[in-house]
Each structure stands twice: as C-alpha cells, then as structure tokens.
Amino acid sequence: MSTATMTGRATARGEARAVPTMVSGLVASTKAELLRLRKWPAVWILATVWLLLNLTFAYLFNYIAYSTGSSGFSNEGVPPSALLPDLLPAAIPSVFTGGMPMFGGAIMFILGALAAGSGYGWGTWKTALTQGPGRLSTFGGTLAAVGIAVVGVVAATLALDFAASALIAVVEGQSIAWPALGALAEAVGGGLLIFGMWAVAGVLVGVLTRSPALAVGLGLVWSLVIENLLRGVGNLLSGIEYVTDVLPGTAAGSLAGALGAGGSDDPEGAPGVLTVLDGRPAALLVAAYLVAFAVAGALLMRRRDVT
Amino acid sequence: MTNTIVVTERLTKRYGDRLAVNDVSLTVRRGEVYGFLGPNGAGKTTTLRMLLGLVRPTSGTATILGHAPGEPGATARIGALVEGPGFYPYLSGRDNLRVMARYQGVSDVAVEDALHRVDLAERGSDAFKSYSLGMKQRLGVASALLGEPDLLVLDEPTNGLDPAGMADMRKLVVDLAEQGQTVLLSSHLLAEVQEICDRVGVIAHGRLLAESTVAELRGASTLLVRAQPVEVALAASMQVAGDDAVQLTDAGIRLELSDERAPELARALVAAGADIHEIRTAERSLEDVFFEMTTDEEENR
C-alpha cells in the first residue's frame, strides 16, 4: 500500500443516503440484487445449462430419432413419424414445461439456494443488511431479483423453443402453424409457477441452512431422489399417497402433465411429469407452495441473528 | 440536533450459558472518536452487531440517533465494517460498491469518490477475490464511508494490515474525525486507540469495565525516583507525597505526585542526604491501565 494516501477526505461533501421506506427499500434492494446476479457467472452457467438441456431433450434427440428412423429416447415403440408433430411450433404449449418439474426445477433450486445461501459464508447478508433497507425489504429484494431471473430464463426458453421448432419446420418442409395464444399463455404461466416455486424453495433452504453447498445438496436429493422414492412407496402403501400427492414435486409434475408435457400417448412420458393432480389444483398448489416458501424465508430472515 | 449518537442501557447477549455481553451501558457522542477496547472475545463485535441490528439483544436496549437498532432510520445513517469485509468475491471492488450504492439509493459517482478516499481507484476493476487482506479491509472502509453516514462503525479496522497500512488507517480515522465524523472504533491494539480516540470504553469478559477519556483513564502522571540509599529516599518521598502515594517498585520509587512538585522532591531528597540518580515523570500507558483493570477483573471473578 502506498503510504499516506488514504485521506478520508471527500472531494466534495458526498451524497447522503436517504432513510428508505419499506417500498423504496424493496426497490433499492431489488436493483442491488439484480446488479450482482447479472454479473454472477454462476447464474449464466445455470441458465445456459438449462437451455441446453431443454434444447437437447425436447428437440435435438427427438429430431435425430425422427430423421434417422429410430425410436425416441423417452418414448420407445413410437413410430418415428409420430415424433414430428411434437417438434413443430404448434406443439410448444405442450412441450414447453416437459423438462421443468424435475431437471429445470432442480437447476432453479440451485439458483435460489446459491443466491441466498452464499451470503452467509461471504458475509454479504451482513453487509447488505447494514445499508439501510430493513430486513424484509432486503430479503424481498433478493426474492424479487431471483424472480426476475426466473422470468428471464422462462422467456429465453420460449424464444429457444420457437427458434428450434421453426427451424425444424423449415428444414422438414412443413408449413408453420403457430400455437394457440391461450394455450401458449397457460404453458408460460405454468413454467413460471414451476420455476418460481423451485427457485423460492432454493432461497428458503439457502436461508435455513445458511450454506449454499448444504442447500444445493439437500435440494437435489429431495427433488431428484426422495420425492420419487416416496411416490414409489405411496404406490405400495395406502395412506402415504395422501402426503405424496401434495408434495412440491408432485404438484409441479402434475401441472406440467396437465399442460400435456408428457406427450399424448403417454401422459407421464417425461421424467418428473405426472398426472396425479388435475391442472387447476396443481397450479393452485404450486402457487401456494411458492407463497409459503417465500413467507417462511422472510420470517426466518426477520427473526434470526446474522452472525 | 441531539448530542448523543449511541446510547445503550444494560445491553446483554446470552448464548446458552455464556454471557457474551453483560450489562453494557455506553454512550457515543456526536463528533467524537470512541474507542471500544478489549481483548479478543471480550464481546466487542457482539455489541457492535447489536448496535447494527444484526443480533438481537437478550435484554437491555440500544438507541442509535433515536431509533432502535436495525430500523432503517438507524441503519441508513450508520456506515459499518464489522468483523471483516463481506463482499461478493466474483465482483470487482467497484461493482461491489455499486451494489451497496444501489441498496443505499446513492449514485455511482459516490462509489468513485469512496474508492478514491481509500486509495483503491486504480484497483477498482479487479475482482474482490484477488485483493490482498489490506485491500479487502480498505474496500470495507470505502463501503462504510459510502452515503455519508452520521456514525462510522469500524470493527478492528487494522486487522490484517501491514504497518504502513495501519498508519494509513489511523490517518484516515484522524482525518475523518477532523471533519467532525463520529467514529466508533473497536480494537484490541491499545496503542492504536490511545493515539486517535477521544474517549474509550474498556470491555472484558462481556462487561464494560470503564468508560472515560484516555487522559482520565491513564490518571495523573507519576514521578519515578532512583536514589540511594533507598530507605532514606523512601522516607523523604513519603514526607513530600504522603505515605499512601509512594510505592517501591523494581524500577525505583513511584510517587503519585504532579511533575510540578519534582523540584520540591529533589530538595527534600538532597536535604535527607540521599544521592539522586534519576527523577522523571512516568506516564501510564493505556496498556498499563488496561492490564491492571483486566487483572483486577480476573481476581474479582
């Protein structure tokens, strides 16, 4: 360090911070969190991984199966020609949420868990909470920024699906028929709910464990393993299904299933896509989980000491 | 405008059986540099965390500028660096400050200014994780300075700094104090606090042992006499200063006597027939006082 250079002297009397209200604090926190999420490579890596997964499993593999005349990867026994309709723009509403309940959800969980959990190890919660906005505003800012990131990912997924399906339609010489707007809106809404729920679940577990590694690990084990095991047990033992039918993964999977994500011939064709619940109750349940996770996270954040 | 910035009353934090902070009542006045002094683990950081609203007290109250800790009215007017700088490792120093500026609602111009104030402008674009400990600490101070807070809370700001960095940090605090900035500074380095603080609070084992000015704490200066024969010198010293104000130590005879009376003492010693080798004023350092205090505390436990 060069000596005697820290003067502490402002070039002019600097800008003083104002005392924020609940709302202005929330807006300020959201802007702050958006800036640091936007510049975080981890966020871009997660988004890219999801988009690649989506492209590969929804379009690439099925298109290869179709064009080489072999059966599809997740729908054995289906004649290759039957694969094409699902690859065209008109099928986007039913294909859109196919990978979301399990793989996409897990990735969004990681996003939420990293966004909230790393702040404890880095000491950034401590720093953020001493800037002015109250605890609820600060935590709300994190939730809002993660939510905006989820909206961005869903929008990118939609754009990618459109691009891929339009390309396939052109290459295969099919006339391009666009999907019905209502069905498309339902699919996008469903995707937002599913991703939103998993991301907020990640934030909650990140706050609970105060550790990104533990939160990510627990979240993945839960969403990829435990829920499936429980559903398996639920099929054998009566009584347990009352619980397994309303688990977050079941609700998200049923929502995707109701939107037609599993494919017409096998409604549960894609991993994680289920038909346990009908569309409306599934959507309501996913929304209820989203809100409950957010409220639980906020209460924890408000009550607990930050050390 | 109120003259006290921070008032705590019997602030207490209990973790299980352990009292981390026990009945701490302290006052920080506007415009002063208040040194919060104590060994590691004495409860300094926990107290500061309670003032910032990060930790809830078990009992007792704290008021910052008329607000409870953690209320926006309090936190928005405090700039803090508590227990090491906490920043996003993947962001540059400048971007980290920009994030904090967003939280505070101040512009990016203030960020540049803060970087200049801690001499980090040139390295502002480098990732925080690539910074040396000293640079991280300086970024923490820059973040605390952002938004012109009424109260600056610096917890062990010289931690991890090299001697030049420590001198810089002291100069920074002195400069800030000259501008009228109220600073609450914690440290386990007594020499550091002695030089730059107006008042100090001494804490050990969670209890505030004393709170006063540095001068008051150090007490009146004493005189140290080396003379032979010792018995003669001791008797003469007692005649001048009184029996209770004289103490025989390894270094010589210590008298609680102001230095203005040194000539009188010298005459008495000579008249008694003692040979004087040395008479000098001996000021107690804060360190001496501190060790006396903490040893007394140990013995009373």
Side-chain angles (χ1 to χ4, degrees), chain A residues 159-178:
Chain A
L160 190 70
D161 283 6
F162 264 108
S165 58
L167 184 68
I168 290 171
V170 169
V171 169
E172 292 303 319
Q174 303 281 324
S175 62
I176 294 183
W178 299 113

Side-chain angles (χ1 to χ4, degrees), chain A residues 1-22 24-43 114-115 118-135 137-139 141-142 299-307, chain B residues 13 15 49 52-57 70-80 82-91 95-96 98-110 113 116-119 134-135 138 143-150 161-162 164-166 168-172 175-176 178-179 181:
Chain A
M1 190 194 294
S2 55
T3 48
T5 35
M6 288 199 296
T7 63
R9 203 153 273 148
T11 44
R13 172 77 187 172
E15 222 179 316
R17 29 180 146 158
V19 176
T21 61
M22 185 93 170
S24 73
L26 177 65
V27 172
S29 303
T30 307
K31 283 184 187 166
E33 285 293 293
L34 275 178
L35 172 60
R36 69 108 178 170
L37 288 181
R38 185 162 56 82
K39 295 211 171 191
W40 196 2
V43 171
L114 290 183
S118 352
Y120 292 95
W122 292 339
T124 46
W125 273 124
K126 169 190 78 185
T127 311
L129 287 170
T130 50
Q131 299 305 308
R135 286 202 180 192
S137 300
T138 309
F139 180 70
T142 297
L299 288 178
L300 265 175
M301 200 65 200
R302 199 169 72 128
R303 278 184 55 88
R304 271 202 317 206
D305 286 352
V306 179
T307 51
Chain B
K13 182 68 184 182
Y15 290 110
R49 279 180 183 277
L52 293 169
L54 294 174
V55 165
R56 231 175 273 268
E71 280 182 13
T75 39
R77 295 165 74 184
I78 309 177
V82 175
E83 206 164 38
F87 291 106
Y88 304 102
Y90 57 88
L91 288 182
D95 281 338
N96 266 300
R98 282 183 176 163
V99 171
M100 298 313 151
R102 300 281 186 289
Y103 270 114
Q104 297 184 6
V106 300
S107 72
D108 288 349
V109 179
D113 189 42
H116 276 288
R117 287 166 87 174
V118 298
D119 193 28
M135 291 168 70
R138 279 189 280 157
S143 162
L145 288 171
L146 204 60
E148 301 298 325
D150 289 329
L161 299 187
D162 56 16
M166 284 190 184
D168 272 6
M169 188 65 74
R170 271 197 290 275
K171 186 173 180 308
L172 177 80
D175 277 352
L176 288 167
E178 276 171 10
Q179 297 163 57
Q181 173 76 57

Side-chain angles (χ1 to χ4, degrees), chain B residues 37-38 187-195 286-288 290-291:
Chain B
L37 207 57
S187 182
H188 65 277
L189 298 172
L190 301 115
E192 173 175 286
V193 167
Q194 183 163 344
E195 279 173 44
L286 208 46
E287 197 145 9
D288 300 332
F290 183 79
F291 281 122

Side-chain angles (χ1 to χ4, degrees), chain B residues 9-62:
Chain B
E9 268 173 56
R10 312 199 60 178
L11 207 56
T12 301
K13 182 68 184 182
R14 180 186 287 278
Y15 290 110
D17 284 344
R18 197 174 66 85
L19 271 169
V21 174
N22 187 1
D23 271 354
V24 167
S25 302
L26 58 81
T27 310
V28 180
R29 299 176 191 144
R30 187 176 292 278
E32 75 177 355
V33 178
Y34 186 101
F36 200 31
L37 207 57
N40 291 329
K44 300 188 296 287
T45 299
T46 307
T47 306
L48 296 183
R49 279 180 183 277
M50 285 194 276
L51 293 182
L52 293 169
L54 294 174
V55 165
R56 231 175 273 268
T58 309
S59 63
T61 59

